[in-house]
Structure formats: C-alpha cells, structure tokens
Amino acid sequence: MLSVATPVTTVFTLTGPQDRLRQIAEERAYRTCAPDQMVWESDTTLVMTLENGIGTSFLRHGDGLSDDYPDVSIRGMEYFDCFDDPGFAKWQGGQLVYEADLTTVFSILFPTDPSKDWAGCCATFWRSSPALTAAIAENCPDFDLMPLRQLAGPAPGWVQTSDGFATLFLRLPTAFEAEDGVAVIFYPGLGRATLLKNVDRFGGFARYRRVSYGRIAGQYQELRPVLRDCWKADEKKRRKARQERKILKRKTKKESREGKASLFHFFDTDPWVV
C-alpha cells in the first residue's frame, strides 16, 4: 500500500544576543536543520525552518531547545500543507509560556488590508483558546479582521465575500477587545448555514452550530434581502442536488436488497447437495 506523506513545516524563531545566536547556529547545524535553512531576520533573530518537519514531536523538540538554551526566547510554529491548522508555542527562560493548537473551522479569501488585494490573504475562524490572542499577535501580526470595517457590506455593520461555494457574512466585533462578532457561513446550494458566535478580531469564536436558511433570515433580518438573492441564484443547484440524493438513496436501497437476497440464497442452499 502506497502512503503519501503530508507536508509539514516547522519553524523555530530564536531571539537573543547576536554572539549567542551565532554559537547556537553552529551547534544546531545539521541537528535541528541544515545551515541553508537558517535565516537571520535581524542581528538578534535567528529562524530555523524544517521542511517536512518533525510532526508530533514539535513541542518536545521545542522543550529540548529551551532546556539547552534558556537564555534566549524561542517561538515555535508548525503547520500542515499550506498553513492548515497551525500550532504555535513560545518558550522563555526555559519554560513554556503558551501553546496554541489552532483548529480551523472555516477559511475564505478575504483581504484584511482594504488597500491591497493580495492572494492568500484570508479570513480564518478557529476555536478560541486562552493562548490564541498571544499566539496570533506574536506570530501573525498582520492578521486582523477589524480593518474590514472599512469595506462596504450588505447591511450596516456587516461585510460579505464568497468563494463560489459558500458566502460569508461577517459582523465584526464592536471594539478591538470585544468578543461579540458574528459570522454566518451560508451554503446556498445546500440551503444550510453555519453560525459562529462570540467572534473576536483574530477569528477566534466560542461556539458554532448548523442552522437553516430560515433560522438565519429570521434571526438577522437585516440580511434577508441578500440571503434571498443568494437563495434564488442557487435554486437550480439545490434542485439538482436533491435529485442526485434521491437517485443515490434508491441505488443504495436496491444494492442493500440485492445483497440481502444473495445472502439468504447462500444460507438456504444445502452445502451437501451436489
């Protein structure tokens, strides 16, 4: 059986006096990573990158670096294939300061800087954790949903974007430190939506649930007109999807009946009769 490895990237960023970091770079060459995968971001910042990295031993590797070099600050980041479900950690003085494993629930292209439209910039929503704010602020300082307030939206306080399959309606937090934002991820082709509540400026949220089109339209009446337009635009897709589900259901039932009939025939046959 052929197994395909999932690309993993692990990054450790060490901050400290330049002489000390040069000593560490010499000691860790070919142990943590090859010399050409060590980059000096500044005189006091050394970055070590491991392609197809160390996987589940990420934290233990960071603990080892911290034990060996307690006099430098170490930030660790690990992600799977295109920055999916990243993990962040920080060690200071030989101790783990925070560890945040970000579970992505939804991500959609959406420029967080309204003056730019760079590919790969997106709004991402993940489950909140105590370390989320510190992890995002230190490791992804440019990630912030609040600038989206400058964009026009379908209703006051809301912004909107779509990736062709799902449409995101986002009501941003009322203040930078607030956690009262709302995200509605609407799938018009299915007639269903995912509702995320207590969203903060970094995309962290407290809870989510699957809801119907009618529930969203009733709870957020200011979205009714645009929801109706999305709903009507994908009416043919929903009808086709329903037909396909019915055909698949009938096919599954038929195969199940044929399987049972074959099984009964097997047990009804006397194995001693030739």
Side-chain angles (χ1 to χ4, degrees):
M1 180 178 177
L2 179 64
S3 60
V4 180
T6 302
V8 180
T9 301
T10 306
V11 181
F12 288 108
T13 302
L14 283 66
T15 304
Q18 185 180 30
D19 292 343
R20 179 59 168 148
L21 293 182
R22 290 193 181 280
Q23 177 189 352
I24 294 172
E26 292 177 1
E27 293 177 357
R28 305 306 299 191
Y30 298 110
R31 292 177 60 194
T32 297
C33 62
D36 61 356
Q37 290 182 300
M38 295 183 181
V39 177
W40 290 91
E41 283 192 349
S42 69
D43 291 342
T44 58
T45 304
L46 175 65
V47 179
M48 303 179 186
T49 301
L50 293 76
E51 301 293 341
N52 291 326
I54 50 182
T56 56
S57 61
F58 165 57
L59 286 177
R60 277 184 288 176
H61 196 123
D63 287 336
L65 285 174
S66 181
D67 289 341
D68 291 342
Y69 311 111
D71 53 331
V72 300
S73 176
I74 302 172
R75 283 188 292 113
M77 175 176 67
E78 183 168 87
Y79 54 94
F80 296 84
D81 192 17
C82 300
F83 207 72
D84 186 33
D85 291 342
F88 297 105
K90 181 179 181 179
W91 293 264
Q92 189 84 44
Q95 299 294 322
L96 181 65
V97 178
Y98 66 72
E99 187 269 321
D101 188 11
L102 278 59
T103 303
T104 305
V105 172
F106 183 76
S107 186
I108 189 169
L109 289 178
F110 203 159
T112 53
D113 182 345
S115 68
K116 300 177 182 178
D117 187 19
W118 16 284
C121 185
C122 62
T124 303
F125 301 91
W126 22 48
R127 292 183 181 275
S128 295
S129 68
L132 176 67
T133 299
I136 293 294
E138 282 201 330
N139 296 278
C140 311
D142 296 326
F143 185 86
D144 189 348
L145 299 178
M146 297 305 278
L148 294 174
R149 291 186 300 185
Q150 303 174 40
L151 302 180
W158 293 84
V159 292
Q160 173 188 353
T161 190
S162 175
D163 63 1
F165 176 67
T167 299
L168 170 66
F169 301 98
L170 176 62
R171 191 176 72 189
L172 293 157
T174 54
F176 280 93
E177 302 304 322
E179 299 177 357
D180 55 1
V182 174
V184 175
I185 306 159
F186 182 47
Y187 303 91
L190 303 176
R192 303 287 295 177
T194 300
L195 176 63
L196 281 61
K197 288 193 172 183
N198 302 109
V199 177
D200 63 23
R201 62 185 291 191
F202 298 114
F205 64 91
R207 56 195 176 94
Y208 80 99
R209 58 176 175 167
R210 311 291 185 188
V211 294
S212 66
Y213 159 78
R215 177 68 64 86
I216 293 295
Q219 189 168 351
Y220 302 102
Q221 297 189 17
E222 64 271 29
L223 294 179
R224 274 186 176 181
V226 68
L227 283 172
R228 189 181 302 115
D229 290 342
C230 291
W231 179 264
K232 289 182 178 179
D234 275 20
E235 187 173 356
K236 290 183 179 179
K237 290 183 180 179
R238 287 194 303 278
R239 188 183 305 118
K240 184 179 179 181
R242 285 196 298 269
Q243 292 173 346
E244 290 176 346
R245 285 196 296 269
K246 287 180 180 178
I247 293 173
L248 181 60
K249 191 174 181 180
R250 287 198 297 268
K251 183 180 178 181
T252 303
K253 285 184 176 179
K254 181 180 178 182
E255 291 175 348
S256 178
R257 287 197 299 267
E258 290 176 349
K260 289 180 180 179
S262 176
L263 188 64
F264 290 148
H265 176 73
F266 174 80
F267 284 112
D268 286 342
T269 302
D270 189 342
W272 302 108
V273 177
V274 180

